[in-house]
């Protein structure tokens, strides 16, 4: 079995979708969920689905090896950032492959401060006709690193942040688990 660790900071609807997708998977299992926010709903979602969930502090994440060691002990093969809002320290990037999802078509609407509804607000403000998602590998900078996949959706003139976010979430639910699966179990063509 290939073990995944999910990192999330908020609601965790992507984390839930990924957990459900891999529930009975023959090769991939979600080992655990990790959050930098003790009140994040993702921790409850994980618990409800019978997946271990953990909270960690910035100190533990940035200044100690605690988390890194724990993930190595668990034989994690891939870290998946599913709405995780902190920059990942370089030590992690050196040890683990890390996949992130971003709710826009990078390099547009990426970088520091561009997350969740801020992204959709900016897209609407600029009257874009199209947005989408980017699933990519993480390197030492925000929203950089090789793209695995982009998927697009229209933006309508009467969209609100909520309607656009809902459309983007649908793309995320469809493509994110499959991108993880393709990464860990590439099909031979
Ligand atoms: C998702 O839309 C994800 O793309 C975004 O946060 C949302 C989390 O939703 N991630 C970022 O903005 C990262 N820069 P969820 O908690 O319901 O999965």
């Amino acid at each position: 079995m290939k073990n995944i660790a999910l990192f999330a900071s908020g609601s965790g609807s992507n984390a839930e979708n990924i957990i459900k997708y891999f529930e009975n998977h023959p090769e991939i299992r979600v080992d655990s969920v990790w959050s930098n926010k003790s009140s994040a709903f993702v921790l409850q979602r994980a618990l409800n689905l019978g997946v271990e969930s953990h909270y960690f502090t910035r100190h533990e994440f940035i200044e100690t090896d605690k988390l890194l060691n724990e993930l190595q002990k668990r034989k994690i093969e891939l870290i998946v950032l599913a709405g995780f809002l902190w920059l990942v320290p370089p030590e992690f990037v050196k040890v683990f492959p890390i996949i992130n999802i971003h709710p826009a078509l990078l390099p547009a609407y990426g970088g520091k401060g561009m997350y969740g509804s801020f992204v959709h607000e900016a897209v609407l403000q600029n009257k874009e006709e199209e947005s989408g998602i980017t699933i990519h590998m993480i390197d030492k900078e925000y929203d950089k690193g090789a793209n695995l996949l982009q998927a697009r959706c229209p933006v309508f003139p009467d969209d609100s942040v909520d309607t656009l976010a809902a459309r983007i979430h649908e793309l995320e639910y469809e493509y994110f688990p499959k991108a993880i699966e393709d990464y860990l179990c590439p099909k031979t063509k």
Side-chain angles (χ1 to χ4, degrees):
M1 275 291 180
K2 299 177 187 211
N3 284 328
I4 302 176
L6 298 178
F7 279 38
S9 303
S11 161
S13 70
N14 275 286
E16 174 163 348
N17 181 54
I18 292 166
I19 291 169
K20 287 180 172 162
Y21 186 89
F22 290 113
E23 236 159 23
N24 296 308
H25 197 280
E27 292 177 72
I28 297 168
R29 85 178 255 281
V30 176
D31 171 80
S32 43
V33 170
W34 301 80
S35 184
N36 58 313
K37 228 178 133 187
S38 59
S39 60
F41 188 51
V42 68
L43 295 171
Q44 189 58 48
R45 287 189 199 257
L47 222 62
N48 293 345
L49 293 163
V51 173
E52 256 186 58
S53 62
H54 302 269
Y55 157 72
F56 58 85
T57 63
R58 179 172 276 279
H59 169 75
E60 286 167 342
F61 192 43
I62 310 276
E63 287 160 30
T64 75
D65 289 337
K66 186 174 174 218
L67 200 54
L68 198 79
N69 291 341
E70 181 61 31
L71 295 173
Q72 283 185 308
K73 211 167 78 193
R74 289 165 175 269
K75 303 205 181 321
I76 296 301
E77 291 194 31
L78 176 69
I79 295 177
V80 174
L81 309 183
F84 182 68
L85 302 182
W86 282 354
L87 187 62
V88 177
E91 294 74 25
F92 280 74
V93 184
K94 276 186 217 143
V95 173
F96 299 102
I98 306 176
I99 293 181
N100 182 43
I101 191 157
H102 188 77
L105 298 169
L106 292 174
Y109 302 102
K112 202 167 184 334
M114 273 294 169
Y115 59 87
S117 57
F118 295 112
V119 175
H120 307 314
E121 262 168 36
V123 166
L124 292 175
Q125 207 148 41
N126 288 342
K127 302 197 183 322
E128 299 286 358
E129 292 180 354
E130 190 178 59
S131 190
I133 61 168
T134 304
I135 298 172
H136 64 100
M137 302 308 295
I138 280 284
D139 66 17
K140 291 187 291 301
E141 287 177 73
Y142 280 102
D143 301 331
K144 302 267 173 77
N147 279 359
L148 298 177
L149 181 153
Q150 287 193 309
R152 291 158 193 275
C153 65
V155 179
F156 300 116
D158 61 349
D159 263 331
S160 64
V161 167
D162 286 348
T163 57
L164 179 55
R167 200 172 304 120
I168 294 287
H169 264 122
E170 286 309 315
L171 283 181
E172 296 185 330
Y173 302 152
E174 180 179 354
Y175 287 101
F176 202 11
K178 285 184 196 148
I180 295 166
E181 189 175 32
D182 284 349
Y183 179 83
L184 284 173
C185 309
K187 293 179 196 88
T188 43
K189 289 194 180 138

